[in-house]
Amino acid sequence: MKFRKRYDDKIKKRKSGLFRNLLNLLLPEVCVVCGRELLEDEKGVCLSCLFKLPRTDNYKVIDNSAERLMAGRIPFERIACYCVYVEGGILPPLIHNLKYYNKKEIGFLLGRMFGDDLSGSDFIKPIDIIVPVPLHPKKEKIRGYNQAAVIAQGISESTSLPVSTGNLVRVVHNPTQTKRTRTERWENVKDIFYVKDKQLFEQKHILLVDDVITTGSTIEACGIALHKCTNLKISIATIGEVL
């Protein structure tokens, strides 16, 4: 029976591979940024567009623009943003496809690339655990995944740091932040996050991960909830920063 099952599994895998090759031949996967047909090893975005990403390297810079944005709002150690988020640029279509078109591989890839940069740096050395900004369960069910958690898994693969999901939770299903003013964004997110087991985060240095930082309202709301844990330190990492 075991031999038969292994044989059936091999046949299914072979058929799946043949179907995937046929589908790629008829409907080749293209880069979500430039539309060029992707090579076999490229996932969601071509290497040429990845090379053009406007990386900030601001994890090397104390008092960078993201840190100035959040100064005085919550206690934090450091903030790093992988790229500048510019409308019409390379990053927006990547984030859009990650969030709305089931392109999880893009989030994982960006997280892994960011993690490669951070590995061994003074920024990442003190971190104990990675915590993605959570979605409300209803929203995550509709989307199928949390894009921040996918990014966090990519960073984890590069840095070997563990990821914690399910302890920091979003308890209110709030409307989207898109096209809201800074004040409206804060009103939309305050008091919507909660830490279920505060002991799990006590004495820890957390890396809070999100896709893009705009006004910082979501990060601030998360930080307020997290700082109810004893002796907690927070650093923050996002893929994009809106300047």
Side-chain angles (χ1 to χ4, degrees):
M1 291 294 292
K2 289 183 179 179
F3 174 79
R4 180 66 189 180
K5 185 178 185 305
R6 287 199 299 269
Y7 177 79
D8 289 344
D9 288 344
K10 286 182 179 179
I11 294 298
K12 287 179 182 178
K13 187 179 291 186
R14 187 174 297 172
K15 287 181 177 179
S16 174
L18 289 172
F19 176 76
R20 187 166 55 251
N21 290 338
L22 180 60
L23 188 63
N24 288 338
L25 183 64
L26 297 175
L27 296 169
E29 189 177 2
V30 298
C31 174
V32 300
V33 179
C34 69
R36 183 182 67 76
E37 184 176 337
L38 295 178
L39 302 175
E40 185 176 352
D41 292 336
E42 294 174 335
K43 304 296 181 185
V45 55
C46 69
L47 290 175
S48 176
C49 287
L50 286 176
F51 182 76
K52 296 173 186 175
L53 278 169
R55 290 163 52 177
T56 69
D57 288 332
N58 67 0
Y59 67 94
K60 303 174 183 176
V61 181
I62 304 293
D63 194 33
N64 59 49
S65 57
E67 292 176 346
R68 292 195 298 273
L69 173 70
M70 298 303 299
R73 295 166 65 176
I74 55 169
F76 65 86
E77 303 301 310
R78 292 294 318 281
I79 302 177
C81 306
Y82 186 49
C83 299
V84 177
Y85 186 101
V86 181
E87 291 297 337
I90 301 290
L91 190 57
L94 296 181
I95 298 297
H96 186 76
N97 276 269
L98 164 63
K99 292 174 69 172
Y100 304 115
Y101 288 94
N102 200 36
K103 295 287 187 179
K104 289 195 295 184
E105 65 274 16
I106 290 175
F108 185 81
L109 175 61
L110 291 173
R112 194 179 67 197
M113 291 169 64
F114 194 12
D116 286 343
D117 281 2
L118 297 176
S119 291
S121 69
D122 291 339
F123 180 95
I124 206 72
K125 283 178 182 177
I127 303 297
D128 297 306
I129 191 168
I130 303 171
V131 178
V133 170
L135 290 178
H136 189 274
K138 287 183 179 178
K139 194 167 187 178
E140 186 166 346
K141 185 175 182 180
I142 292 170
R143 184 166 295 171
Y145 54 90
N146 174 9
Q147 73 276 3
V150 174
I151 293 166
Q153 289 294 341
I155 296 174
S156 173
E157 180 168 285
S158 294
T159 61
S160 299
L161 288 166
V163 177
S164 170
T165 58
N167 196 34
L168 175 64
V169 295
R170 191 182 296 235
V171 293
V172 177
H173 188 201
N174 59 324
T176 179
Q177 294 279 70
T178 306
K179 296 182 180 180
R180 291 176 179 267
T181 65
R182 178 170 178 166
T183 301
E184 289 170 339
R185 282 173 179 260
W186 172 243
E187 290 296 329
N188 193 37
V189 298
K190 68 177 182 179
D191 301 323
I192 70 170
F193 297 103
Y194 174 74
V195 178
K196 293 199 295 187
D197 185 351
K198 294 180 177 61
Q199 287 187 337
L200 288 179
F201 289 162
E202 288 179 357
Q203 314 291 334
K204 295 289 194 300
H205 189 158
I206 283 173
L207 181 64
L208 184 64
V209 170
D210 205 2
D211 51 3
V212 176
I213 184 169
T214 305
T215 65
S217 297
T218 300
I219 295 292
E220 183 177 357
C222 283
I224 290 170
L226 286 166
H227 273 298
K228 293 177 181 179
C229 303
T230 304
N231 292 329
L232 175 80
K233 292 182 179 180
I234 297 176
S235 288
I236 297 156
T238 70
I239 293 300
E241 177 187 9
V242 178
L243 297 177

